[in-house]
Amino acid sequence: GSLEVKSLAYSSFDKTTGDIEEIEGIVLALGCKGMEGMVHASSDLARLPVFSWAASQRGIDVISIRIWFDTKVTTRTPANVFSRF
């Protein structure tokens, strides 16, 4: 089956917490250790086979990815940080 994301609860290193409602999706920019830690800390994600599988993978982290959105997304940092991408 497919997964659907409707909201997100978060906490940050500086102890800030919050909720984001009415979202259409999430892009997780995590390395292997980060994914493992996130799934280990979240029983909701650990229940989903796709996240358990992703958290168990070993290898190198992704260097870059290209994503197209249907609307403009304002960011704090510029896109295309790697030349000729």
Side-chain angles (χ1 to χ4, degrees):
S2 64
L3 300 175
E4 184 176 345
V5 177
K6 295 181 180 179
S7 64
L8 173 72
Y10 68 89
S11 60
S12 64
F13 290 115
D14 67 357
K15 309 293 187 217
T16 304
T17 61
D19 295 304
I20 302 172
E21 302 292 332
E22 299 180 24
I23 58 177
E24 296 179 18
I26 297 173
V27 176
L28 300 173
L30 300 170
C32 297
K33 292 287 186 184
M35 177 63 84
E36 182 180 10
M38 185 184 69
V39 172
H40 179 71
S42 171
S43 59
D44 290 333
L45 292 180
R47 272 195 295 268
L48 300 170
V50 68
F51 284 101
S52 293
W53 176 83
S56 69
Q57 299 304 300
R58 301 291 176 250
I60 63 168
D61 296 334
V62 174
I63 295 173
S64 63
I65 186 168
R66 190 179 287 196
I67 302 172
W68 285 266
F69 296 99
D70 59 353
T71 58
K72 183 178 179 180
V73 177
T74 304
T75 63
R76 292 179 300 190
T77 57
N80 300 326
V81 294
F82 294 108
S83 66
R84 300 176 195 224
F85 176 60

